[in-house]
Amino acid sequence: NNSADEHNCNENNNNNNTCTCFTSPPEAAAFEYLERDIGVRAHPKHLINPFTQLYWLPTQHNREYHRNLRLVNGLMEGVIGFKLEEFLGRQNGQGQLEEVENEEQQLNGNEHEEEENNMITMMLRSVIEEQYRHESKEQNLQQQHHSSTNATFNNTSSSSSCPFSSATTSSSSCPFSSNPNNISNNNIPTTTMTKSDRSQIIEKVSQILHTLLVAGYETTAISLSYTMYCLSKHPRCQDRACEEARRVMSTWDTNNNDKNKFDEDALPYCKAIILESLRIHVPVVFTTRVSSKNMTLDTDDCGGKVTIPKDTRFILNPTTIHNDERNFERAEEFLPERWVKWENGGWVDRDFEEEVRLANDNGTSAATAATTTSAATDATATSSPPPLSLSEKYTTENKQADTISAANPQSFFAFSDGARNCIGRRLAIMESTIFIAVLLRDMCVDLAEEGYELVKERRFVILAPKSLHVAFWKRDD
């Protein structure tokens, strides 16, 4: 199949200069349609249009929407249903499906633990526990009501010959009655769970999963598109990322027993590329906040202050903050080195506060203090040759980049900040970092159009490239 795909790809490239091997599957195309549909319906010109806002109207738009929705829901419910059968099979000690039994025999301890920590499995566990916890509480309330009624009746009729005077409430058959807030796996009725219960559980998890994908799919894809654009304009960064990926991932291939596990924290330069791309090209146009109390803020270093009353609505534009020279030195330049530095034979995250402290102690700039400290550390540490990209390629550009001062993380708002920041930040950075490392380890990227100018278009609250064509090819070194 791979040979046939490559043949078709080459043939198509020769005939039409178009590769069909990367055509999206129907489910992916349907999900992308649903993503774009949100922006279409939320556009100001459509907000009061009933033909756009009422999903039940028999319009061509709504028919297309429901067709794509059924396709996406069918995929998600199929995957969730299979995971539910696996989960229930593990709980009752026997597989609900023959395939599950075969897989369980092959799973070792680590793989079993990994399956238990699977995102869909954890969502299923949470939904199931919540559902049966609710049922157990209702049964406990009924039991308490009957107990109270019987106690009152017995106290008032202790001398009565009524046959019910000595009746006591039997213990509840509900497995959660003793402690409804502590539901163990053994309490889940895996063998008696009705078809209706299973359908409800699958539907709830499907809704949660759909929300997670909607919130993170397009923003992550757009962020990676901007990253490809930045890397195309700065090949020296590709070179450094390639060196790091090969150096770090080669140790995983020889020392890591599980080849499928990646540690993004071991790839600081690749992560810095993602952060710097997000700093310059933030996918989200703005975010809003409402002040919960009166606040007095400093406006400058000369004692200027401004008071903001309670219940004031803020509209925060991350791009404006990131492009301000007061927050980031050489703000318009793409410099991943503002987030990392070369030290002890590898890239490490920079400590903004420590570099500022050193600069204040020495009476120098933060960048000079960081460079001096790094050089002193490398001189005293075990010697290791610098990567090729630091010694021979793009020497002038790299030296200029290495003089940049450290970025202040408190001025970085691509994921917002505070208690209501983006809950998907960790996941987005992790998957993007690993993607960059795996890609640039063996590939190069460049713009496919000569003289291309980046033009952005707004999709609801998302700012995306209007069009972006890039080319990839295998590295020669």
Side-chain angles (χ1 to χ4, degrees):
N1 292 336
N2 292 336
S3 300
D5 288 342
E6 292 177 3
H7 175 74
N8 293 334
C9 179
N10 294 332
E11 183 177 354
N12 288 327
N13 285 337
N14 294 332
N15 296 335
N16 304 320
N17 292 325
T18 302
C19 177
T20 59
C21 295
F22 297 101
T23 303
S24 298
E27 294 81 3
F31 191 84
E32 185 172 357
Y33 175 90
L34 297 178
E35 285 278 347
R36 293 182 179 275
D37 184 75
I38 296 174
V40 171
R41 296 179 189 266
H43 194 280
K45 70 179 182 180
H46 294 150
L47 287 178
I48 59 174
N49 183 354
F51 293 98
T52 305
Q53 299 304 320
L54 300 178
Y55 287 78
W56 53 267
L57 288 177
T59 63
Q60 180 62 31
H61 184 181
N62 285 338
R63 282 193 289 268
E64 184 69 11
Y65 168 82
H66 287 293
R67 185 187 69 82
N68 286 280
L69 183 63
R70 286 193 297 270
L71 193 59
V72 172
N73 285 344
L75 173 65
M76 291 196 297
E77 290 173 2
V79 173
I80 295 169
F82 180 78
K83 287 295 182 182
L84 176 60
E85 296 297 333
E86 281 188 331
F87 175 76
L88 297 179
R90 286 192 296 272
Q91 305 314 309
N92 62 21
Q94 58 182 5
Q96 299 290 330
L97 298 174
E98 183 178 353
E99 293 85 356
V100 178
E101 291 181 343
N102 294 334
E103 290 178 2
E104 288 293 332
Q105 293 175 359
Q106 298 175 0
L107 286 176
N108 58 31
N110 293 334
E111 290 173 332
H112 182 77
E113 181 181 357
E114 182 177 347
E115 181 59 33
E116 285 294 318
N117 293 329
N118 178 279
M119 182 178 69
I120 295 180
T121 303
M122 289 191 291
M123 286 192 291
L124 282 169
R125 185 187 299 113
S126 177
V127 169
I128 291 172
E129 291 179 354
E130 182 63 28
Q131 178 169 325
Y132 288 101
R133 181 182 292 113
H134 176 72
E135 292 181 3
S136 69
K137 286 184 178 180
E138 289 184 349
Q139 292 180 5
N140 281 341
L141 289 176
Q142 293 178 1
Q143 178 185 351
Q144 291 174 5
H145 173 73
H146 288 300
S147 299
S148 176
T149 302
N150 288 337
T152 302
F153 181 80
N154 289 335
N155 290 336
T156 57
S157 309
S158 58
S159 60
S160 172
S161 61
C162 174
F164 304 107
S165 59
S166 59
T168 58
T169 305
S170 61
S171 59
S172 172
S173 59
C174 173
F176 314 117
S177 58
S178 60
N179 188 358
N181 293 319
N182 184 20
I183 301 178
S184 65
N185 292 333
N186 295 330
N187 296 116
I188 298 175
T190 56
T191 57
T192 61
M193 185 181 292
T194 65
K195 184 177 180 180
S196 176
D197 288 340
R198 297 187 184 216
S199 297
Q200 291 180 9
I201 292 170
I202 292 174
E203 182 180 0
K204 289 181 180 179
V205 175
S206 178
Q207 292 173 353
I208 297 172
L209 185 61
H210 188 82
T211 301
L212 289 175
L213 292 175
V214 168
Y217 171 83
E218 188 171 19
T219 50
T220 302
I222 292 174
S223 298
L224 288 172
S225 298
Y226 284 132
T227 302
M228 294 300 103
Y229 170 76
C230 292
L231 289 171
S232 298
K233 304 285 286 186
H234 301 87
R236 70 168 193 86
C237 297
Q238 296 186 50
D239 199 64
R240 285 187 160 182
C242 173
E243 180 281 324
E244 179 182 66
R246 290 181 174 181
R247 171 169 44 84
V248 174
M249 297 175 72
S250 63
T251 62
W252 296 350
D253 294 338
T254 56
N255 300 331
N256 192 0
N257 293 328
D258 189 346
K259 304 296 193 328
N260 296 321
K261 290 186 176 180
F262 294 90
D263 181 9
E264 76 280 2
D265 292 330
L267 298 161
Y269 193 86
C270 293
K271 181 170 69 174
I273 288 176
I274 298 297
L275 295 177
E276 186 67 358
S277 174
L278 285 169
R279 185 190 67 81
I280 298 178
H281 303 287
V282 186
V284 179
V285 179
F286 64 88
T287 184
T288 62
R289 292 291 185 272
V290 176
S291 57
S292 59
K293 60 182 179 180
N294 297 331
M295 296 185 297
T296 300
L297 304 178
D298 297 330
T299 59
D300 52 45
D301 296 332
C302 301
K305 296 182 181 297
V306 61
T307 299
I308 300 175
K310 181 182 177 181
D311 297 328
T312 299
R313 179 174 293 276
F314 296 84
I315 297 180
L316 306 176
N317 187 330
T319 301
T320 302
I321 298 172
H322 293 172
N323 290 339
D324 195 322
E325 291 282 343
R326 293 172 295 181
N327 297 322
F328 293 96
E329 180 187 356
R330 295 155 62 183
E332 295 184 357
E333 299 183 42
F334 180 79
L335 298 169
E337 288 77 9
R338 72 175 79 244
W339 303 96
V340 292
K341 61 181 179 180
W342 181 262
E343 185 175 282
N344 291 342
W347 294 101
V348 296
D349 294 329
R350 297 179 69 170
D351 188 333
F352 172 78
E353 295 182 356
E354 178 65 15
E355 292 186 21
V356 170
R357 185 188 66 79
L358 290 173
N360 293 334
D361 293 344
N362 300 331
T364 59
S365 67
T368 303
T371 303
T372 303
T373 303
S374 179
T377 303
D378 280 341
T380 57
T382 303
S383 61
S384 59
L388 184 63
S389 57
L390 289 180
S391 59
E392 296 183 11
K393 291 186 179 180
Y394 311 109
T395 303
T396 303
E397 296 92 329
N398 286 334
K399 285 184 177 179
Q400 292 176 351
D402 291 335
T403 61
I404 190 68
S405 59
N408 184 356
Q410 295 183 356
S411 298
F412 183 71
F413 287 92
F415 297 94
S416 188
D417 203 0
R420 297 183 180 274
N421 66 345
C422 175
I423 61 173
R425 171 175 180 156
R426 180 77 169 81
L427 175 62
I429 293 179
M430 177 189 69
E431 62 184 1
S432 299
T433 298
I434 294 174
F435 173 83
I436 291 297
V438 173
L439 176 68
L440 297 183
R441 176 179 59 176
D442 301 309
M443 304 288 287
C444 290
V445 59
D446 199 358
L447 296 174
E449 299 178 15
E450 187 175 354
Y452 170 83
E453 294 290 338
L454 179 63
V455 178
K456 301 180 181 180
E457 65 176 357
R458 181 172 171 180
R459 306 173 188 169
F460 191 30
V461 296
I462 301 296
L463 202 61
K466 189 172 183 178
S467 66
L468 177 62
H469 301 280
V470 295
F472 299 93
W473 67 92
K474 191 172 179 63
R475 298 183 68 98
D476 296 331
D477 51 356

